[in-house]
Amino acid sequence: MCSTPKLKQKMKGKTSNNVVSILSQVNAKKRKEFAERANEASERREIIKKTTILKQNKIERAKDQASVKKNTMTSKPWHYWLIRASFSEIFHTIFHKKSSMK
């Protein structure tokens, strides 16, 4: 029962040696109120957990989209390099590749 809310005031009840349940000394009305509060607390925790998971998924998707966008912008076809490259770059690239093939 870790999802039960904590009491603000201490309750004094009868103590006995053969008690099986915590709520066995409480009347039916108090037991029902306790169960309702515990259920509300549990529902709140589930809602918080779901919203945090949704936020994390949204952040991860945004990061993935940013990385995909970055990769598409930096990886251009080879002919873009050929158009922008100077003659010396083209010359060095051709001869360095040929010399590495030998």
Side-chain angles (χ1 to χ4, degrees):
M1 291 231 160
C2 62
S3 65
T4 58
K6 294 183 179 178
L7 297 176
K8 293 181 182 174
Q9 55 184 334
K10 293 183 179 183
M11 290 182 61
K12 292 184 179 179
K14 298 175 187 175
T15 58
S16 63
N17 294 335
N18 59 359
V19 174
V20 178
S21 173
I22 297 171
L23 299 175
S24 64
Q25 300 295 327
V26 182
N27 63 11
K29 183 180 176 185
K30 294 271 186 179
R31 199 175 300 136
K32 185 176 179 182
E33 290 174 1
F34 179 82
E36 288 173 355
R37 280 187 278 139
N39 290 339
E40 288 174 2
S42 176
E43 288 173 0
R44 270 187 262 123
R45 285 189 191 95
E46 287 179 19
I47 290 171
I48 291 170
K49 187 176 179 180
K50 286 179 183 178
T51 55
T52 54
I53 290 172
L54 289 174
K55 286 179 183 178
Q56 289 174 348
N57 289 343
K58 187 177 180 181
I59 291 169
E60 288 175 5
R61 275 188 270 136
K63 287 180 182 177
D64 290 341
Q65 288 175 351
S67 66
V68 166
K69 187 176 182 181
K70 185 178 178 182
N71 289 342
T72 57
M73 294 186 90
T74 56
S75 60
K76 293 182 179 178
W78 63 271
H79 61 272
Y80 279 93
W81 173 83
L82 186 61
I83 293 169
R84 292 177 164 238
S86 65
F87 288 113
S88 61
E89 284 180 287
I90 296 170
F91 183 76
H92 284 289
T93 309
I94 291 171
F95 284 108
H96 283 295
K97 285 187 179 180
K98 283 188 178 180
S99 63
S100 65
M101 289 180 179
K102 289 182 181 178

